[in-house]
Amino acid sequence: MTLLATPHHPWRRPPPSASQHDLCRLLEDAAAVIFDVPPEKLRASSRGAAEVAFARQSAMYLAHVVLGMRYSEIGRLFGRDRTTAAHACQTVEDRRDDPLIDLQLEVLEAVCGETLCVAAAAEAHA
């Protein structure tokens, strides 16, 4: 008896790397601080309270905007579906009309963008 190998599907992306996973955890932690929610609640499998869900959606949004990740990658990293990631990004974008939320997201984008630059520079010198 022979075992059939799983065929390679070029349209399927490999699982996220450890560094992507770490970056998404950083985004979650930053969103938890800005939106004043416990980080462990962002990582829960259930939706949680509205403020927790929005903080998680913001982290997903940052993964898309700052890291340039695809919805399917974001979904895998956050334990959600790609459509959930797309919905999160749309929800956050819609709420940017609120000046306070827009300011919070600008701060998150700047901090996360700067962190990426520092990490890339450190990796280049290693």
Side-chain angles (χ1 to χ4, degrees), residues 18 37 47 55 66:
V37 297
R47 180 182 184 279
V66 176

Side-chain angles (χ1 to χ4, degrees), residues 24-42:
C24 283
R25 293 304 157 253
L26 176 68
L27 296 177
E28 283 179 331
D29 290 342
V33 168
I34 288 287
F35 294 108
D36 194 28
V37 297
E40 62 274 3
K41 289 195 176 186
L42 263 68

Side-chain angles (χ1 to χ4, degrees), residues 9-77:
H9 296 288
W11 64 89
R12 289 192 183 162
R13 303 211 45 179
S17 69
S19 62
Q20 284 179 317
H21 185 270
D22 293 342
L23 287 171
C24 283
R25 293 304 157 253
L26 176 68
L27 296 177
E28 283 179 331
D29 290 342
V33 168
I34 288 287
F35 294 108
D36 194 28
V37 297
E40 62 274 3
K41 289 195 176 186
L42 263 68
R43 296 182 180 106
S45 59
S46 63
R47 180 182 184 279
E51 60 272 4
V52 173
F54 186 71
R56 183 184 307 108
Q57 289 169 334
S58 297
M60 290 180 179
Y61 173 81
L62 292 169
H64 182 65
V65 172
V66 176
L67 301 178
M69 295 177 74
R70 295 179 181 169
Y71 296 139
S72 57
E73 294 171 311
I74 296 167
R76 275 195 300 276
L77 284 167

